[in-house]
Amino acid sequence: MTGWEGLNAAVAEARTLVCAQAPDAATAAEGEAYVARVLAAGLGGAVLGHQFRSHGLARALPVYGGPNPDYLMFHAPVDPAGRYRLEGRLNGSERVGVGLYTVGPNGAPLIAGYAAFEPGDCGADGGFGLEIAADAGPGGLALTPETRIQLIRVLHRDDSPPASLSLTGGPPARGLALMGGGADAALQFVARSLGNAVREYLKWTAAARALANRLDVAPPELTETVQGDADTRYFLGGFDLAEDEWLEVTMPEDIGGYWSLHAYNYWYEHLQTPGAHDRNARRDADGRIRIAVGPSTPDDALNRIDTLGRRRGAFVCRIIGPGGCPSAQLRKRD
């Protein structure tokens, strides 16, 4: 089977899998767009990687499984026998998380090493450096024989210049490079990655469906295969609202540090609508943080997430620091 034939077969299979999970025609139509976006992201990396690369790193497209819109993401392949150095400056960013990953059986990255840089970890000018090698000393990240990928997540939530990053030690840019060395291999890679991504994240869709109108600790069988940051706790949930309903999410009383609550469509694609987080949320008179979620929320809600007409969808809540599980309660309009 040629690369094109394999890719066409993978697209057909993904469309069938997604269609089978869609509860209505509108959600099925969004599922078609979801498959197309996952395909486009895969093709971009496999045949247009040179367009995304700068200073040794490539910009990651946030299309898979509930991406965090508060993050700018970068990646680079790593050779376990290689020696690398990451240099950076925080600039206006709040945090830079650097992870090393192996590749799981479903193609998802599995965390193998992690370091984070916040203002207190950097020099007076916000600068930092990190050695990455099998024999990296104290303060570095050690490569294991199975390490294949470096992922960097930059927490950045304003219009200031984001963190500047440069990775040295990798192979030089090769012009119009194709993943696998040729078009056929590149298309085969896209076919595999498309199938793996859709099958994996349909599990997340099912988890959100099972957690309708509530949030809970993300099931271990999911987080074990897609754990992003080592120090982040993940809570998943979903919303399934009648026409006159909205959902009130209450954050834990001891919440502190970075936290965010973002809404996604049924396929865990971010809605491109503002979420609630530690920088923008307002407290009620009793000191609690409550967030109204839905296509039509009360005018007097201090915090709200507009689901842009959607009454079905998913949540991801992320917490770095103290804080238990958020709670959710259905509310009806009078």
Side-chain angles (χ1 to χ4, degrees):
M1 182 180 294
T2 68
W4 282 114
E5 290 170 338
L7 182 56
N8 289 335
V11 170
E13 180 188 13
R15 292 178 64 201
T16 299
L17 290 171
V18 166
C19 183
Q21 296 292 324
D24 53 54
T27 308
E30 279 204 317
E32 287 284 311
Y34 163 61
V35 172
R37 279 188 279 265
V38 175
L39 172 62
L43 284 168
V47 306
L48 290 170
H50 55 284
Q51 298 284 6
F52 294 93
R53 180 170 168 161
S54 177
H55 301 287
L57 295 164
R59 178 73 185 271
L61 295 175
V63 299
Y64 303 109
N68 187 345
D70 297 337
Y71 285 166
L72 304 174
M73 296 186 62
F74 303 86
H75 65 91
V78 293
D79 180 344
R83 182 173 298 277
Y84 305 87
R85 182 167 178 81
L86 179 70
E87 299 278 355
R89 182 169 287 112
L90 277 182
N91 297 327
S93 298
E94 302 168 55
R95 189 174 195 268
V96 172
V98 184
L100 298 179
Y101 299 82
T102 62
V103 178
N106 62 352
L110 305 179
I111 194 162
Y114 188 81
F117 298 94
E118 298 181 358
D121 307 306
C122 302
D125 62 351
F128 60 88
L130 181 68
E131 297 292 338
I132 304 169
D135 59 352
L141 278 180
L143 292 168
T144 68
E146 295 78 27
T147 307
R148 295 293 183 271
I149 304 169
Q150 178 180 175
L151 294 176
I152 300 175
R153 293 169 173 82
V154 178
L155 178 56
H156 192 83
R157 293 181 284 179
D158 60 30
D159 295 327
S160 64
S164 55
L165 301 167
S166 178
L167 180 71
T168 55
R174 296 172 47 211
L176 298 175
L178 293 163
M179 188 167 291
D184 205 55
L187 294 173
Q188 290 174 14
F189 170 82
V190 177
R192 290 192 301 272
S193 63
L194 171 67
N196 287 338
V198 169
R199 283 189 293 270
E200 180 63 29
Y201 290 110
L202 282 178
K203 299 175 187 175
W204 290 67
T205 297
R209 192 164 58 241
L211 292 168
N213 301 323
R214 63 190 180 96
L215 289 103
D216 205 343
V217 177
E221 61 270 21
L222 298 186
T223 55
E224 285 173 1
T225 61
V226 292
Q227 176 74 31
D229 288 309
D231 50 7
T232 301
R233 289 175 294 129
Y234 297 86
F235 303 89
L236 302 185
F239 56 93
D240 190 352
L241 308 171
E243 189 170 350
D244 61 345
E245 292 178 336
W246 51 280
L247 196 66
E248 183 178 83
V249 176
T250 302
M251 300 305 296
E253 290 187 78
D254 58 343
I255 193 74
Y258 169 78
W259 66 267
S260 66
L261 179 72
H262 290 290
Y264 302 82
N265 69 9
Y266 195 82
W267 311 111
Y268 264 101
E269 295 183 288
H270 186 247
L271 294 181
Q272 303 299 302
T273 189
H277 51 71
D278 57 287
R279 280 195 166 187
N280 67 7
R282 299 166 60 190
R283 294 182 181 270
D284 287 332
D286 63 359
R288 301 301 298 275
I289 297 173
R290 297 178 176 86
I291 305 157
V293 181
S296 180
T297 54
D299 293 337
D300 60 352
L302 293 181
N303 309 292
R304 58 168 57 88
I305 297 177
D306 184 359
T307 59
L308 305 180
R310 294 166 182 80
R311 291 188 283 113
R312 289 190 180 97
F315 291 121
V316 180
C317 177
R318 298 167 173 88
I319 298 177
I320 301 176
C325 182
S327 62
Q329 184 174 357
L330 268 178
R331 300 290 193 185
K332 287 183 177 289
R333 288 190 169 275
D334 297 332

